[in-house]
Amino acid sequence: MAILVTGGAGYIGSHTCVELLNKGEEVIIVDNFSNSSPDVIKKIGQITGKSVTVYSDDILSEAALHNIFTAHKISAVVHFAGLKAVGESVRVPMDYYYNNVSGTLCLCRVMAAHGCKKMAFSSSATVYGAGTGGPFREDDAVSAINPYGMTKVMIERILTDIAAADPKWGIALLRYFNPIGAHPSGLLGEDPTGIPNNLVPYIAQVASGKLARVQVYGDDYETPDGTGVRDYLHVSDLAAGHIKALEYVENHPGAEAVNLGTGTGYSVLEVLAAYEKACGKKLPYVIAPRREGDTAVCCADPAKAKRLLGWEAAIGLDEMCRDSWNYAKKLQKG
């Protein structure tokens, strides 16, 4: 039996494919490569010494998905595919609702038609909206302050209703906090197109000389140094959480929301200092105005993940920044 990974060539998807292959699973990837590169597939092979079957298709095509499920005996799906830039979602909300929500519905319809009813879904801490900062628990109220976040809220509700209607479904709704870092080999990492939206890829481009200075959005929050505090976790820890989630849903019906985070928050300036340590040089930064919708603190309560999945993050901030810089250096060298 195989595991289908939608968006498997993306940042988190590719690391999860590595974990699955290392566990001995057969992996099928479907990715339209709208925000990823086919080169990632080669790198997955280099790291694991194993091959994956890849379909360059869109999950909005039920016909394409039916072909994949007909060609392979798929036991479970890890669902990453979706648009994910917050700012872009505000500009083109229709694209986000169509792609993320309709794409998930297409996927679920095809899964049901082929009797595959186990899923780990890539959700997000954005479902906690403009909450108090946490530590957020899975039973906290969900909301959203942008269309991207609302697609996650809507998909979680859809998947919860699907699982409630049919006890054969087992679904993990994995609420990520802030994944950073890269595979220790330096072959896989986060390489966004254009100017990065997230802090660590932005810092990496400053360290690489691609950008002039780090933009720190706000230094007047009620935090120890005035800058925003977030729960950062290593992408390899996050990938390992998906393995645990698949093991869980295999034997537990229903839809279960689970936070994947460390439970520890770091400020923007603390992350910058850790990255300076990793790359061995001071990095220029400027204080910019706060961004609309940003909160002072956003951290997870990860207790449920440990209790339910037997998972907890193991990699610290220094290693996260070290691995990110190792990947950035390899990118520089081509």
Side-chain angles (χ1 to χ4, degrees):
M1 301 294 282
I3 309 293
L4 177 66
V5 183
T6 74
Y11 174 45
I12 303 167
S14 59
H15 285 80
T16 301
C17 288
V18 167
E19 292 290 330
L20 287 167
L21 290 164
N22 285 341
K23 186 173 176 276
E25 300 285 0
E26 180 187 352
V27 174
I28 312 296
I29 290 174
V30 58
D31 199 307
N32 66 6
F33 298 104
S34 63
N35 195 32
S36 58
S37 169
D39 289 342
V40 168
I41 307 302
K42 298 175 190 173
K43 293 174 182 178
I44 292 171
Q46 283 179 256
I47 291 169
T48 63
K50 299 175 181 178
S51 62
V52 296
T53 301
V54 182
Y55 290 87
S56 181
D57 288 314
D58 198 303
I59 61 166
L60 284 160
S61 170
E62 286 195 27
L65 292 175
H66 275 299
N67 288 339
I68 294 168
F69 276 84
T70 300
H72 305 276
K73 291 182 178 178
I74 294 170
S75 60
V77 174
V78 188
H79 180 29
F80 295 104
L83 301 176
K84 62 175 187 175
V86 169
E88 182 183 60
S89 78
V90 176
R91 294 192 300 273
V92 288
M94 195 183 307
D95 291 354
Y96 273 68
Y97 288 114
Y98 177 62
N99 190 88
N100 294 5
V101 180
S102 298
T104 300
L105 283 169
C106 286
L107 176 63
C108 289
R109 282 164 57 89
V110 175
M111 288 175 67
H114 291 267
C116 174
K117 298 183 178 181
K118 307 297 179 184
M119 177 191 284
F121 169 60
S122 168
S123 191
S124 167
T126 57
V127 301
Y128 295 116
T132 58
F136 289 109
R137 290 164 42 103
E138 291 83 353
D139 54 4
D140 287 338
V142 297
S143 61
I145 57 175
N146 54 66
Y148 163 71
M150 187 53 73
T151 68
K152 296 296 188 183
V153 172
M154 293 172 73
I155 292 168
E156 282 199 8
R157 180 55 191 264
I158 289 166
L159 295 176
T160 299
D161 288 346
I162 288 171
D166 182 350
K168 291 182 180 178
W169 282 89
I171 304 172
L173 311 170
L174 300 176
R175 296 174 178 172
Y176 311 162
F177 278 68
N178 293 74
I180 61 173
H183 192 270
S185 66
L187 291 172
L188 291 177
E190 190 170 11
D191 184 24
T193 56
I195 296 175
N197 292 302
N198 297 325
L199 176 63
V200 171
Y202 201 107
I203 294 175
Q205 292 203 8
V206 173
S208 301
K210 295 178 182 177
L211 293 172
R213 60 189 64 83
V214 179
Q215 302 279 335
V216 178
Y217 296 104
D219 65 347
D220 56 350
Y221 289 105
E222 291 185 18
T223 61
D225 63 18
T227 64
V229 170
R230 298 290 181 268
D231 187 334
Y232 296 94
L233 74 158
H234 197 290
V235 65
S236 293
D237 272 338
L238 180 57
H242 290 75
I243 308 303
K244 293 290 189 180
L246 287 176
E247 292 171 358
Y248 179 83
V249 299
E250 183 61 37
N251 299 302
H252 295 84
E256 199 75 59
V258 183
N259 289 336
L260 294 181
T262 66
T264 300
Y266 294 99
S267 74
V268 173
L269 293 182
E270 286 177 314
V271 175
L272 182 60
Y275 213 97
E276 288 176 335
K277 181 179 173 183
C279 69
K281 57 188 174 185
K282 296 295 288 183
L283 300 174
Y285 71 91
V286 294
I287 303 298
R290 292 186 185 188
R291 291 184 300 191
E292 186 178 353
D294 276 356
T295 55
V297 179
C298 182
C299 290
D301 179 342
K304 186 176 180 180
K306 185 175 182 179
R307 184 179 73 252
L308 226 62
L309 309 183
W311 174 91
E312 59 183 328
I315 304 171
L317 180 63
D318 285 346
E319 293 168 278
M320 297 181 211
C321 292
R322 179 202 65 199
D323 289 343
S324 171
W325 177 235
N326 183 39
Y327 176 68
K329 284 189 296 183
K330 293 206 174 200
L331 274 183
Q332 274 184 300
K333 293 175 183 176

